[in-house]
Amino acid sequence: MITRQRLAAGVFALLAALTAGIAVPSTAVADETTATAPKVNLLLDVSGSMRAKDIDGQSRMAAAKQAFNEVLDATPEEVRLGIRTLGANYPGDDRKTGCKDTAQLYPVGPLDRTEAKTAVATLTPTGWTPIGPALLKAADDLEGGEGTKRIVLISDGEDTCAPLDPCEVAREIAAKGIGLTIDTLGLVPNAKLRVQLSCIAEATGGTYTSIEHRDELTDRVNQLVDRAADPVVVPKAVEGADACAGAPTLTSGLFTDREEFNQQRWYRVDVKPGQELRASVSVAADRDVNPHYGVLLRAVTVKNREIVRGEAAGTGRTDVISTGLRYPKAEAEDEEDEDVAETVCLQVTHSYAAAGGVKTTPGLPLEITVDVVDGPDPATDVASFGLGRGWWLLGVLVLVGFVAGVLWGWLSRWRVAVWRTN
C-alpha cells in the first residue's frame, strides 16, 4: 500500500529530476552564448591635449564623454563592452611612469549602462599618450571566447612613448591570429596622426576615420560597435610549413597566417575522387613595400608535380593582392578507390620587398580560403565551357538566328525589287 509519505517523496523526486533535466541544457546554452558573444573594447585617449576646445565649441574630452554616453545607450544587448583609458591618471613629467599610464575603466563584459556612464563622467584630461602599451593591454582585456573582438581607439595625438611603435604593436597583435580588429578615430585633422592611426588600423584589417564633430564621433563609434554584433566568419590561425611534407592539413574554411619576405608557405588538402578543390589566397602589405610585386598559389602533388596555379601582380596601387585556383579530381574508375583521397600540396609565394628601413618581421598577413566540394557531373556538364545541357539551346539559337537572317535578307531584296518596279 502506498502511503502519503511515499507518494510525496516520489513526486518530489520526479520534480527534482525534471528540474535538473531542464537546468543543465539552460546552463549549457548560456555558456555557449557567452563564449560566442562579440567583444568591444573602447580605448580612449585622456591625455592633457584632450582639454583643447575645438570640437563644436567644446573640449575634445567633453565631446568624447557625450559621444560615449550615447554609444552606451545604443549598445546591443549581446555585445560585451569594456572601456580602457590611456593617459588618464599620471600628471607628472616622468616619461617612464607616464608610458605605463593605461587603466581598465570598465571591464569587458555584460553592460551596466549606469555604471559605465558614471565611470566615464569621472575622466579628466591628464597625462601622456601611451598608445602602444595601451593597445597591448586592451588586447589582453579581450582574451577568451570565440566571438568577434574589436578595439576602437579614439585619440587626438600621436604616441609619446617611442620606441614602442604602436604600428608594430598592432602587427604583433594581428600575428597572434586571434581575429582581433583595431579601428582608429583621429580627433584632429593632423597628417602625422593620420599616418600612425591608419597604420595601426590597416595592420589588423580595421578602418581609420578622421573626426571633426561630436555627431560624427557618436555615429562612427555606434557603427563599429554594431558591426561587432554582426555575424562574421573568423579566420582560423594556422602555421604553414617550409615544405609540403610537414605542412598542416586544411579542410574547408578560412585561415590566416604570416609569411616572411622571400619565404614559401605550404599547406595540404585531401581531395577525394569526384570532388573539386577551390582555393584562394590574399596577401596584404601592412607596411611600406616596394612597387611591382606578385603572389603565386600552386597546387602540386606530393611528388612536386604541378597540377594548376593561380597568380596575380600589382604595381603599388592596392595594399592587397589575391589569386585563386580550381582542381577537379576525376571520378574513380574502381569502386574501391572512391574513398581514397589524394593529398594536394598548396604553395604560397609572394614577391613583396620591404622598403628601406622597414622591419621585415612579423611576416605579411595572408588569408587562405579552402573549399572542397562535389565536382561537376560529367553526364550533365561540359568541362571545357561549363555549358552542360545548354549546348542544345545554344544550337537552337544559332539555327534560329541563321534562318531569321536569311529570311530578312530575302524580304529586303524583295522590297527593293518592288520599289524599283513601281
Side-chain angles (χ1 to χ4, degrees), residues 18-39:
L18 290 173
T19 303
I22 295 172
V24 170
S26 299
T27 304
V29 170
D31 290 343
E32 182 179 351
T33 301
T34 301
T36 58
K39 295 181 178 180

Side-chain angles (χ1 to χ4, degrees), residues 66-235:
Q66 291 180 24
F68 268 45
N69 285 339
E70 294 179 33
V71 168
L72 292 171
D73 284 334
T75 298
E77 293 293 337
E78 65 271 25
V79 173
R80 301 296 182 258
L81 186 136
I83 304 172
R84 174 171 282 276
T85 62
L86 59 96
N89 300 308
Y90 177 69
D93 297 327
D94 182 66
R95 183 176 178 277
K96 186 175 181 181
T97 303
C99 288
K100 295 179 181 179
D101 185 8
T102 177
Q104 191 178 59
L105 185 70
Y106 186 84
V108 177
L111 182 60
D112 183 323
R113 303 177 199 278
T114 301
E115 185 178 341
K117 289 181 179 180
T118 301
V120 170
T122 64
L123 295 176
T124 302
T126 302
W128 297 63
T129 313
I131 293 178
L135 285 174
L136 289 173
K137 292 292 185 180
D140 291 341
D141 296 340
L142 295 170
E143 284 187 350
E146 300 176 357
T148 58
K149 300 178 179 68
R150 186 177 296 272
I151 295 173
V152 180
L153 168 63
I154 301 116
S155 179
D156 70 337
E158 300 170 74
D159 180 272
T160 55
C161 292
L164 186 59
D165 184 356
C167 193
E168 293 296 330
V169 169
R171 290 177 186 140
E172 291 176 8
I173 291 173
K176 294 179 180 179
I178 58 176
L180 192 157
T181 302
I182 303 175
D183 297 288
T184 58
L185 291 80
L187 298 186
V188 292
N190 180 289
K192 290 184 178 180
L193 175 63
R194 176 183 57 79
V195 170
Q196 186 172 83
L197 294 185
S198 295
C199 182
I200 293 171
E202 291 170 2
T204 61
T207 59
Y208 163 75
T209 307
S210 178
I211 301 295
E212 296 185 33
H213 302 283
R214 183 182 61 81
D215 289 345
E216 293 175 351
L217 179 60
T218 303
D219 292 344
R220 185 56 179 158
V221 178
N222 269 328
Q223 289 173 6
L224 295 173
V225 173
D226 289 342
R227 186 177 297 174
D230 294 337
V232 297
V233 178
V234 180

